[in-house]
Amino acid sequence: MSPDGTRLAWISDLTGRPRLHVAPLPARGPIDLDTATVLDTGGVGGQHPDVTALAWSPDGGRIAVQIAPSGGDRTRVALLDPDGGPPVEIAPAATAVVLGAWAPTGRWLGITVLTDTGDPDSDTYGDGTACLVDVRDGSSVVLGTGQAALVQAISADGRRVVLRTGRRGERGLELVDLHTGSRDQLIGGPGGALNATARFGAAPGTLWVHTDADRERSALLAVALGQAGDELIAPARPVAVRPGADLDVVALDPGGARAALVWNTGGRSEIEIADLRGGRPQRVLVPCDVVTNVSFARDDASLLVAGHSPGIPPHVVRLPVRGGAATPLLGGAPVAPVTPQPEPVVFPAEDGLRLTGWLHRPPSPNGAGLLWLHGGPESEERPGWAPLLHELVAAGVTVLTPNVRGSSGRGRTFARLDDGPLRPSSITDVRAATRLLAGIPDVAPDRVVVAGRSYGGFLTLAAMVRFPELYAGGVDVCGIADLVAFHAGTEPWIAGPARTEYGDPRTDRALLEELSPLHRADRIGAPLLVVHGDHDTNVPLGQALAVHAALEARGAPVELLRMADEGHEVHDRHTRAATNDRIVRWVIEVTGVRPG
């Protein structure tokens, strides 16, 4: 919402690719799309200026957006006029720019500037430079540098800034005093955190921290701050903690007394309103299976909730805080045919570790099975909107989406069980999941396909070279085939933070080569469909070309599907639909079954 609560800004691919839309926020009923304006991004981001993030300025006069050209990783930041004026790009000469937080005065905007230069053998390779930019004249103040640096929050008086840095799994938060130059570590150090965000509260002297630092699960903590210039910072105090659940989203009430909290409990979302003064939390009826965002409406009586469910695409509703039915604001029309609800499954890994996932059963199974592996690996399969999976199920394919070790949603320990030399165990988790799927009565064991995207594409290739007898085919969507080449070819700001996850090519080269499926591509005998975006600089296109060339050279069945205007993410909804359709038809072809 705009700061005055009169307008709503959202990102939608209604026109084809992700664009920023703005419309008046009605007191009741859904938003009238005829009143919506699609804001012009001008020449920022080139031909396909895909908007991926937004933040209203405190006075509502501008909207800062992050733009991913053609879905790529060389992002831009621009200021847009919600009334339709020309865009203003921030740091246009930089290789890439990442959007941070606004200062409460609206004068300063936090950004991170990234560069594609640097020494790959250096510990600082991929460091970003966090800055405050004066939006009046473009001048800037450098706050600091570091891996994955991001401006998280700026105090009301403009004196203090919270800066996040750290590699994957080692995030930390630092409090910077702009007047004295002093820096205080809020969280971090050995072990770090998988996630760490912070914001200043409405009342001075309190910083609200959302993190899993020093604990197994993400929670909301309060940090009491002394007066500016006073280095006395109290230890973080837990405010909202749930055993066995991760805190996904935190929204602070502008009045300062409440917070809306979204918890991930076994993959499904739960919402509660926390009294930040110490009262009992209030549970709120959840309008969808997976909640992605939430904010307080200015009427003090409702929340705006964004989310999705199986068969129901991303949508926004207005939800009464004190009970009552949600009313639609944007989207949410169910698709046809009705998508069956996925079933939670629990099964043992080969070493006895407890694994979980979701089983998608088609109404009319045709004997084919597909194992879908998510990316990240610090991500999680959840029971939400997944068009490709829904289309496979509609065609009669039984789909299993496991959360192998290394996934999020199960705590820090589980998420780190695949780091570096532990990665082979995540690959054998794929075999355990395959055997579970092949053992379902509706699935013929010789008609199982393994598929995945990004890191899931890596796992797909790794499973096909290690367990070729298990699969009738494979689908690699923008997957990593050669980990050494990935580190050398990806963007520096991706390679540097990834060293803690995949291994460091300076010291772990032998391990990375051993794990790389490309070096064993001669073991892939089943047909393989390789899907990749031409503008992907996260997992560069060369990874797909290398796999395709290795298999084609020996006459193995392989097909390469290139997406001309896409990066690591597929942003054009028409391209996405066509790609999904080809994947579904390909699975039907290689398994030799009839569509359901």
Side-chain angles (χ1 to χ4, degrees):
M1 282 180 303
S2 58
D4 64 3
T6 62
R7 292 191 280 189
L8 190 71
W10 71 95
I11 299 167
S12 171
D13 61 5
L14 181 66
T15 58
R17 302 188 71 96
R19 296 291 183 265
L20 182 64
H21 301 239
V22 178
L25 183 62
R28 295 179 179 82
I31 285 177
D32 181 359
L33 292 180
D34 290 337
T35 67
T37 301
V38 181
L39 297 190
D40 179 22
T41 54
V44 180
Q47 181 181 3
H48 299 298
D50 298 337
V51 180
T52 57
L54 68 94
W56 284 93
S57 63
D59 65 0
R62 309 184 196 193
I63 304 176
V65 295
Q66 182 170 294
I67 294 170
S70 297
D73 289 279
R74 298 199 165 198
T75 52
R76 320 304 307 165
V77 169
L79 301 179
L80 303 185
D81 180 348
D83 295 317
V88 176
E89 186 170 2
I90 302 294
T95 303
V97 188
V98 177
L99 178 62
W102 281 97
T105 61
R107 173 180 173 181
W108 300 91
L109 177 67
I111 65 167
T112 302
V113 174
L114 302 170
T115 176
D116 58 358
T117 61
D119 180 4
D121 290 329
S122 169
D123 286 339
T124 60
Y125 184 60
D127 275 6
T129 301
C131 310
L132 289 181
V133 174
D134 189 327
V135 298
R136 302 172 306 173
D137 58 17
S139 61
S140 62
V141 174
V142 174
L143 300 174
T145 61
Q147 300 282 294
L150 185 67
V151 180
Q152 291 272 338
I154 305 167
S155 62
D157 60 7
R159 178 166 181 169
R160 286 166 155 174
V161 178
V162 178
L163 187 63
R164 184 206 72 187
T165 58
R167 292 188 170 92
R168 289 164 64 170
E170 295 182 349
R171 305 298 194 208
L173 295 177
E174 188 177 39
L175 185 67
V176 182
D177 189 312
L178 298 181
H179 288 193
T180 67
S182 65
R183 294 173 177 269
D184 294 290
Q185 192 77 22
L186 296 172
I187 63 170
L194 293 176
N195 61 78
T197 64
R199 66 207 72 184
F200 290 94
T206 301
L207 187 71
W208 302 100
V209 178
H210 174 198
T211 185
D212 62 352
D214 301 319
R215 61 189 59 247
E216 186 65 19
R217 298 279 191 164
S218 295
L220 179 63
L221 314 176
V223 177
L225 306 175
Q227 295 295 320
D230 183 352
E231 297 184 359
L232 180 61
I233 300 177
R237 171 178 57 86
V239 174
V241 179
R242 274 202 196 182
D246 277 318
L247 182 58
D248 277 351
V249 182
V250 177
L252 297 179
D253 180 353
R258 301 175 298 175
L261 309 177
V262 181
W263 297 93
N264 175 357
T265 305
R268 288 192 166 93
S269 296
E270 296 181 1
I271 302 176
E272 68 181 13
I273 307 298
D275 185 338
L276 299 179
R277 298 162 300 187
R280 292 177 60 85
Q282 173 192 347
R283 194 73 63 89
V284 178
L285 182 66
V286 182
C288 53
D289 289 277
V290 179
V291 174
T292 56
N293 210 339
V294 63
S295 63
F296 283 91
R298 298 301 181 263
D299 60 10
D300 201 41
S302 59
L303 300 173
L304 300 191
V305 179
H308 52 89
S309 296
I312 304 178
H315 56 282
V316 182
V317 300
R318 192 193 306 269
L319 185 65
V321 171
R322 296 174 181 84
T327 57
L329 276 176
L330 282 170
V335 299
V338 176
T339 302
Q341 285 287 325
E343 306 168 12
V345 294
V346 179
F347 61 102
E350 294 183 1
D351 61 1
L353 181 70
R354 176 178 170 270
L355 302 176
T356 64
W358 298 89
L359 182 64
H360 304 249
R361 295 183 186 268
S364 302
N366 59 20
L370 183 133
L371 187 74
W372 178 259
L373 303 165
H374 65 69
E378 312 97 324
S379 184
E380 180 188 8
E381 283 296 339
R382 302 179 66 177
W385 172 246
L388 173 59
L389 306 187
H390 304 334
E391 291 172 32
L392 286 162
V393 170
V397 180
T398 302
V399 178
L400 176 63
T401 57
N403 287 308
V404 300
R405 71 190 71 198
S407 303
S408 59
R410 294 275 304 278
R412 283 207 305 165
T413 299
F414 188 86
R416 287 176 164 160
L417 288 179
D418 69 340
D419 290 357
L422 301 177
R423 195 153 313 281
S425 294
S426 66
I427 300 172
T428 56
D429 286 352
V430 177
R431 179 165 61 184
T434 303
R435 287 172 172 163
L436 173 66
L437 177 61
I440 293 173
D442 293 330
V443 176
D446 60 349
R447 290 179 170 175
V448 172
V449 172
V450 61
R453 181 191 168 279
S454 191
Y455 177 76
F458 162 80
L459 284 180
T460 293
L461 296 172
M464 291 186 76
V465 302
R466 285 166 172 77
F467 326 120
E469 71 283 356
L470 295 181
Y471 304 111
V475 183
D476 162 29
V477 183
C478 62
I480 302 172
D482 183 333
L483 285 163
V484 174
F486 162 76
H487 277 281
T490 189
E491 304 288 10
W493 57 88
I494 295 174
R499 288 172 175 172
T500 47
E501 174 62 47
Y502 298 126
D504 192 328
R506 300 171 298 177
T507 57
D508 303 321
R509 187 181 185 92
L511 171 67
L512 297 176
E513 290 178 345
E514 170 65 22
L515 290 172
S516 296
L518 183 62
H519 301 318
R520 299 184 185 180
D522 59 317
R523 290 178 55 81
I524 298 178
L528 178 66
L529 174 62
V530 182
V531 182
H532 218 102
D534 281 356
H535 296 286
D536 192 346
T537 58
N538 182 323
V539 179
L541 176 63
Q543 298 276 318
L545 298 178
V547 171
H548 180 258
L551 296 183
E552 193 175 50
R554 62 181 180 85
V558 61
E559 177 183 332
L560 176 61
L561 176 59
R562 291 174 60 169
M563 297 173 288
D565 294 320
E566 303 298 336
H568 197 59
E569 306 290 339
V570 183
H571 280 170
D572 187 282
R573 65 188 182 96
H574 306 295
T575 300
R576 186 165 54 246
T579 301
N580 288 351
D581 179 70
R582 177 59 191 132
I583 292 174
V584 173
R585 288 187 291 109
W586 188 89
V587 170
I588 296 301
E589 291 165 8
V590 300
T591 55
V593 298
R594 293 183 178 181

